[in-house]
Amino acid sequence: MAVNRSAHPPTSSVAPSLAATPTVTSVSPTSGSTAGGTAVTVTGTGFTGATAVRFGATHAASFTVNSDTQITAVSPVGNGTVQVTVTTPSGTSNQFVTYTYVTAPVPSLTSVSPASGPASGGTVVTLSGSGFSGATAVRFGGVSAAFTVISGTQISATAPAGSGTAQVTVTTPGGTSNGVSFTYVSASVPVLTSVIPNSGPAAGGTTVTLTGTGLASATAVRFGATPATSFTVVSDTHLTAVAPPGTGTVQITVTTPGGTSNGLSYTYTGAPTLSGISPNQGSTSGGNTVTLTGTNLTGATSVTFGGTPATSVTVLSPTQITAVVPAATAGPVDVTVITPGGTSTLPKGYFYVSPPVLAGVTPFSGPLSGGNTVTLTGTHLIEATAVRFGATPATSFTVVSDTQITAVAPAGAAGLSSVTVTTVGGTSNPISYTYLAAPSITSLVPNQGTTSGGSTVTLTGSNFAQTTTVLIGGAPTGFTVVSDTHLVADIPAGAAGPVGITVTSPGGTSAPAVYTRVASPHI
């Protein structure tokens, strides 16, 4: 909490303290009038509990402890260069930080603009002259006015209510200026309701239309403190004005014998500069949102991609815009932003990418457990960001070229699944991939035969349609798929005894079924 102390605090007994002696590192401002009264910010350490602030040997007129590191003190009357010190129960600072007293000149007032206003007051008046620094009062006759010191040569003041002709004066520590006349008139004060457009380039030259009331007798139009390059009164409710050069946001006002109107904001915008776009590529179909970064983007009226306007544009800040990309053909395009301040282009700043197209998948089926590698072929695959089997991402994938990708299939449910590839250009057409359950053998007919072979066996079971191999005793044999549930296999010659028969398809390998070779009887 800030603590305010008078210049000469009462003497009191101070208990010994282990706190560090205060230090003063800087004062701001470093100079002021010999008449005192300047608010000085003292910066340092150990200011808590300060009991005195001195300018040389003289106590400050008053001081406030803002924090342990800052005090605001009002300078006393003085002259020359003096040391500023702070005293606390722990001692007095001894750093040689100085404050210089200077003799302030008597202010001189040369003009008041506008020179008239309504009797009700409220006219914002610009005072021009010299020696205004440190001004303590502006008066219209004997009535004080609210004011802001803009510089040593200019003050902005709000006229109080009055009548007749009053002398405007400025008072500073150096004295009171000469008076300049301001006339109170009975005409109504003009009122502004709109300005179109409300922004333009820093170079000026923009013609704006002002709408309001009481404009017919306008004597001045100002953009901030600067007069319009020119203005034309169209009617009592309309006038046009040409903006002068300027910077930032200023208030447009109209002055008539009745006074000065309310202000309407007008923003001077520098020429825009584009420095980046993210993402910088997307589908030829457009529709994606990109973020443009740069400077002076406020008021952007258009963003184009290769000459085609963005679907929509949103200005987030002077340094950022979002735009919805229009459709276009594949390839790089210039990105251009247009604002009231000018135009900026990023050459080949955005690249349209064709969507991927899939032509085939090999093999076109695999086990429910996944884990098998498939090869996808097509076009525009080089920037693939995802490969999916249905809604499930591939376990992994590798882009081999713009026309080929290898992917490891994830696990899936039995049946058809759609394989797609996604790139910045979009998502491809789907192609079918079938998840197959492993074959299962339920019976063999016959389940035995002679060692000489040459016969066949009919296997009954399930998932035989995609059979690739039939093994008898570990050796491949010929086979014919009759249906998904029946398969006929050739029995080769072999030694007497049981052997296992297995069926393999892309879905896996069946559990073995037992077939027994029986030796021929000897007579």
Side-chain angles (χ1 to χ4, degrees):
M1 177 183 294
V3 178
N4 183 273
R5 298 182 183 274
S6 64
H8 302 285
T11 303
S12 63
S13 175
V14 179
S17 173
L18 296 178
T21 302
T23 64
V24 174
T25 57
S26 67
V27 296
S28 178
T30 58
S31 62
S33 171
T34 55
T38 301
V40 178
T41 299
V42 183
T43 303
T45 60
F47 291 166
T48 300
T51 57
V53 177
R54 293 182 178 85
F55 287 69
T58 307
H59 284 273
S62 65
F63 69 90
T64 299
V65 179
N66 302 321
S67 68
D68 192 57
T69 60
Q70 188 180 88
I71 290 175
T72 300
V74 177
S75 65
V77 175
N79 56 68
T81 298
V82 297
Q83 181 182 4
V84 179
T85 59
V86 173
T87 298
T88 72
S90 298
T92 299
S93 64
N94 61 4
Q95 293 72 35
F96 194 66
V97 176
T98 61
Y99 178 84
T100 301
Y101 286 98
V102 294
T103 302
V106 177
S108 173
L109 187 58
T110 57
S111 67
V112 173
S113 179
S116 63
S120 59
T123 302
V124 177
V125 178
T126 299
L127 312 181
S128 299
S130 61
F132 292 166
S133 296
T136 57
V138 173
R139 294 181 176 86
F140 285 64
V143 181
S144 295
F147 68 94
T148 300
V149 177
I150 297 171
S151 68
T153 60
Q154 192 173 84
I155 288 175
S156 175
T158 301
S163 61
T165 298
Q167 295 297 304
V168 180
T169 58
V170 175
T171 300
T172 72
T176 299
S177 73
N178 57 299
V180 174
S181 296
F182 179 84
T183 302
Y184 287 98
V185 295
S186 57
S188 60
V189 179
V191 175
L192 289 180
T193 55
S194 69
V195 53
I196 299 174
N198 62 2
S199 61
T206 301
T207 298
V208 301
T209 298
L210 300 173
T211 303
T213 58
L215 308 181
S217 56
T219 57
V221 176
R222 291 183 175 82
F223 287 67
T226 306
T229 302
S230 64
F231 69 91
T232 302
V233 175
V234 178
S235 69
D236 193 54
T237 59
H238 288 83
L239 64 79
T240 61
V242 177
T247 59
T249 298
V250 299
Q251 297 297 305
I252 300 180
T253 57
V254 173
T255 299
T256 70
T260 297
S261 72
N262 56 299
L264 294 180
S265 294
Y266 180 85
T267 301
Y268 286 100
T269 56
T273 60
L274 281 181
S275 56
I277 179 171
S278 178
N280 63 359
Q281 56 183 351
S283 173
T284 53
S285 61
N288 56 309
T289 299
V290 299
T291 300
L292 305 171
T293 53
T295 59
N296 299 322
L297 303 181
T298 300
T301 56
S302 177
V303 174
T304 62
F305 291 75
T308 303
T311 304
S312 67
V313 175
T314 302
V315 178
L316 302 179
S317 72
T319 61
Q320 196 171 81
I321 292 175
T322 60
V324 178
V325 180
T329 57
V333 295
D334 295 344
V335 180
T336 299
V337 62
I338 301 171
T339 73
T343 299
S344 179
T345 297
L346 268 182
K348 298 182 179 179
Y350 186 81
F351 199 100
Y352 281 98
V353 179
S354 296
V357 176
L358 284 180
V361 55
T362 304
F364 56 82
S365 59
L368 304 182
S369 60
N372 56 309
T373 298
V374 301
T375 298
L376 305 173
T377 55
T379 56
H380 310 307
L381 307 180
I382 193 70
E383 293 187 344
T385 56
V387 175
R388 291 183 176 85
F389 288 68
T392 306
T395 303
S396 65
F397 68 91
T398 300
V399 177
V400 179
S401 68
D402 194 48
T403 61
Q404 189 177 92
I405 292 175
T406 60
V408 177
L416 290 174
S417 178
S418 296
V419 181
T420 57
V421 172
T422 300
T423 73
V424 293
T427 298
S428 72
N429 57 297
I431 57 174
S432 295
Y433 175 85
T434 304
Y435 280 99
L436 299 174
S440 175
I441 303 172
T442 56
S443 68
L444 301 176
V445 178
N447 62 2
Q448 61 181 6
T450 65
T451 56
S452 59
S455 61
T456 61
V457 61
T458 298
L459 286 68
T460 301
S462 58
N463 303 315
F464 291 160
Q466 303 290 334
T467 298
T468 56
T469 305
V470 175
L471 299 179
I472 296 180
T477 187
F479 64 92
T480 300
V481 176
V482 178
S483 69
D484 195 48
T485 58
H486 289 84
L487 180 152
V488 176
D490 298 330
I491 300 296
V499 294
I501 298 180
T502 59
V503 177
T504 298
S505 76
T509 298
S510 70
V514 177
Y515 180 85
T516 303
R517 289 190 180 96
V518 179
S520 301
H522 294 283
I523 299 174

